[in-house]
């Protein structure tokens, strides 16, 4: 029997805690009445992760599927391998250092079947700051118009809390960039801009642990700057050509300006740390990219509501003269 759900788990050097993640997945409550496959991608780990994965597969061969990649592609590239291999009617994503509550996929699947929606979202617990969050509010659910799309784009959210209809992935733009962080930024923005419908399950069903060594915690100036720059480019490139772009433009440009602010501030931090690098050129490049991708102003209502006046001031100063910006920093 083909699985109803394919859960994709990219793994890189998580041998010490991987059993917890996989244990919750092989014991999902929809098994065996609603079969599930767990596609585990070993992303060229250098620790003992593949042994842990193989051991789990030997115990649950009908559930665990293994892709052992000899090339490290980052979580995005590894997920792409899983998407191509997935046989389920729906696809979910779990990070290897997190936990899916054992009833998560049963509840999401039943909501998807009952509503017929493209995406079902649920709540998650964020360990780092002790928060329980449901990003998709009731007023954003149902069939999507531009207003709902903008609210979803602005509210953000995460890849892992959702179940996706597999047919969505026939659109090849719904793939992840390899060997980067922030690889889900353009993915989710494009998804919210193009999907037909979304629903929610208002329960906390995912435990987000955000380990200190995870890819999203890598904050070296050059790498973080590069990833912000590339995320901005890809968000714009994927959405600007959409027929409904002008209807969702304020939300897209808010997201671009949020990224722009992060990039400018990482350069300021490097300046304060007396790092020797081409910060003026980096700031100039950001300003040029912002000019190409953001056609509205800082009076954007989402920007005014969600970005601090100080950060807006900093961005405006960088727009004018990056050298003057750095000189103004104490």
């Amino acid at each position: 029997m083909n699985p109803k759900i394919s859960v994709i788990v990219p793994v890189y050097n998580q041998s010490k805690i991987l059993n917890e993640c996989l244990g919750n997945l092989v014991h999902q409550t929809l098994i065996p009445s609603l079969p599930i496959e767990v596609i585990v991608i070993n992303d060229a780990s250098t620790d003992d992760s593949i042994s842990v994965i193989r051991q789990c597969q030997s115990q649950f061969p009908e559930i665990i599927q293994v892709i052992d990649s000899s090339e490290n592609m980052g979580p995005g590239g590894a997920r792409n391998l899983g998407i191509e291999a997935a046989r389920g009617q729906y696809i979910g994503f779990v990070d290897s250092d997190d936990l899916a509550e054992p009833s998560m996929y049963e509840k999401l699947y039943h909501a998807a079947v009952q509503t017929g929606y493209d995406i079902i979202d649920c709540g998650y617990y964020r360990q780092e700051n002790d928060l329980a969050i449901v990003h998709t509010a009731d007023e954003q659910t149902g069939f999507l118009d531009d207003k709902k799309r903008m609210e979803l784009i602005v509210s953000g959210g995460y890849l892992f809390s959702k179940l996706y209809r597999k047919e969505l992935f026939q659109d090849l733009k719904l793939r992840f960039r390899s060997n980067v962080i922030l690889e889900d930024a353009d993915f989710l923005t494009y998804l919210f801009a193009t999907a037909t419908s979304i629903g929610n399950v208002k329960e906390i069903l995912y435990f987000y642990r955000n380990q200190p060594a995870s890819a999203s915690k890598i904050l070296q100036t050059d790498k973080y700057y590069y990833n912000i720059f590339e995320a901005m480019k890809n968000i714009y490139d994927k959405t600007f050509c959409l027929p409904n772009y002008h209807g969702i433009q304020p939300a897209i440009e808010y997201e671009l300006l949020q990224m722009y602010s992060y990039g400018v501030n990482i350069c300021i931090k490097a300046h304060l740390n007396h790092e020797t690098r081409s910060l003026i050129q980096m700031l100039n490049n950001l300003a040029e990219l912002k000019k190409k991708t953001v056609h509205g102003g800082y009076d954007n209502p989402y920007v005014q509501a969600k970005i601090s006046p100080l950060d807006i001031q900093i961005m405006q100063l960088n727009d004018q003269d990056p050298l003057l910006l750095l000189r103004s920093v104490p």
Side-chain angles (χ1 to χ4, degrees):
M1 183 185 299
N2 282 339
K4 300 295 185 183
I5 296 173
S6 300
V7 181
I8 295 169
V9 186
V11 176
Y12 180 71
N13 290 355
Q14 294 289 354
S15 61
K16 293 182 180 178
I17 60 173
L18 186 55
N19 274 328
E20 294 178 78
C21 173
L22 297 182
N24 276 30
L25 292 175
V26 298
H27 292 107
Q28 287 288 305
T29 55
L30 54 72
I31 302 168
S33 59
L34 294 172
I36 184 174
E37 67 175 355
V38 179
I39 303 174
V40 188
I41 304 95
N42 179 46
D43 191 25
S45 295
T46 58
D47 69 353
D48 203 30
S49 290
I50 188 61
S51 296
V52 176
I53 296 167
R54 293 292 188 197
Q55 184 179 22
C56 188
Q57 183 187 38
S58 69
Q59 295 174 0
F60 301 92
E62 72 285 2
I63 300 173
I64 298 290
Q65 310 298 323
V66 180
I67 298 175
D68 188 11
S69 175
S70 60
E71 176 188 358
N72 180 264
M73 296 180 289
R79 290 190 196 109
N80 290 340
L81 294 177
I83 290 169
E84 298 306 320
R87 297 176 297 146
Q89 297 173 4
Y90 294 89
I91 291 178
F93 299 97
V94 170
D95 288 349
S96 58
D97 51 352
D98 295 341
L99 299 174
E101 203 274 335
S103 65
M104 175 175 172
Y105 286 107
E106 179 181 16
K107 290 174 178 177
L108 293 182
Y109 176 79
H110 284 308
V113 171
Q114 182 178 14
T115 61
Y117 293 159
D118 287 341
I119 310 161
I120 301 293
D121 197 9
C122 71
Y124 64 90
Y125 174 76
R126 186 183 178 103
Q127 182 183 40
E128 184 180 34
N129 41 12
D130 192 26
L131 285 178
I133 305 167
V134 179
H135 272 285
T136 303
D138 285 347
E139 56 268 24
Q140 296 163 2
T141 61
F143 290 94
L144 298 177
D145 55 20
D146 287 344
K147 181 179 179 182
K148 289 181 180 180
R149 293 183 193 281
M150 286 199 293
E151 292 300 320
L152 288 166
I153 290 167
V154 168
S155 66
Y158 286 96
L159 183 74
F160 51 65
S161 64
K162 300 169 179 63
L163 189 65
Y164 309 84
R165 186 190 299 279
K166 186 183 179 182
E167 282 78 8
L168 292 170
F169 296 91
Q170 292 175 357
D171 184 342
L172 294 180
K173 289 187 178 179
L174 275 176
R175 295 295 186 273
F176 299 93
R177 291 173 291 122
S178 299
N179 294 116
V180 293
I181 59 173
L182 306 176
E183 77 285 346
D184 57 351
D186 54 293
F187 177 96
L188 286 173
T189 301
Y190 182 78
L191 179 77
F192 291 146
T194 57
T196 300
S197 53
I198 189 169
N200 66 11
V201 172
K202 289 180 286 186
E203 295 183 48
I204 305 302
L205 299 175
Y206 192 96
F207 188 77
Y208 177 43
R209 294 199 280 200
N210 201 13
Q211 296 292 311
S214 67
S216 61
K217 287 288 188 181
I218 299 171
L219 299 178
Q220 298 100 322
T221 298
D222 287 341
K223 186 164 187 174
Y224 195 44
Y225 170 91
Y226 167 80
N227 281 279
I228 289 169
F229 193 91
E230 289 300 308
M232 286 181 67
K233 280 176 56 180
N234 280 272
I235 289 168
Y236 181 76
D237 289 345
K238 279 189 175 181
T239 58
F240 181 69
C241 59
L242 293 174
N244 63 334
Y245 179 78
H246 292 294
I248 59 175
Q249 185 174 351
I252 300 290
E253 295 199 349
Y254 157 74
E255 189 175 16
L256 291 169
L257 286 172
Q258 188 181 48
M259 292 280 182
Y260 180 50
S261 178
Y262 292 159
V264 171
N265 277 293
I266 199 69
C267 290
I268 291 173
K269 182 179 178 182
H271 174 70
L272 290 172
N273 290 337
H274 307 289
E275 295 183 26
T276 56
R277 60 185 77 246
S278 304
L279 294 176
I280 297 298
Q281 186 61 54
M282 292 164 70
L283 288 166
N284 266 317
N285 290 343
L286 274 174
E288 285 299 313
L289 180 59
K290 179 258 180 181
K291 185 178 178 181
K292 290 177 183 176
T293 58
V294 178
H295 306 293
Y298 293 100
D299 56 348
N300 180 319
Y302 293 116
V303 173
Q304 290 292 316
K306 294 177 175 290
I307 299 180
S308 74
L310 177 59
D311 282 325
I312 292 173
Q313 254 186 334
I314 289 170
M315 287 188 285
Q316 289 173 322
L317 191 53
N318 192 66
D319 293 344
Q320 297 167 22
D321 186 347
L323 180 59
L324 184 61
L325 170 64
L326 292 186
R327 286 177 175 171
S328 70
V329 177

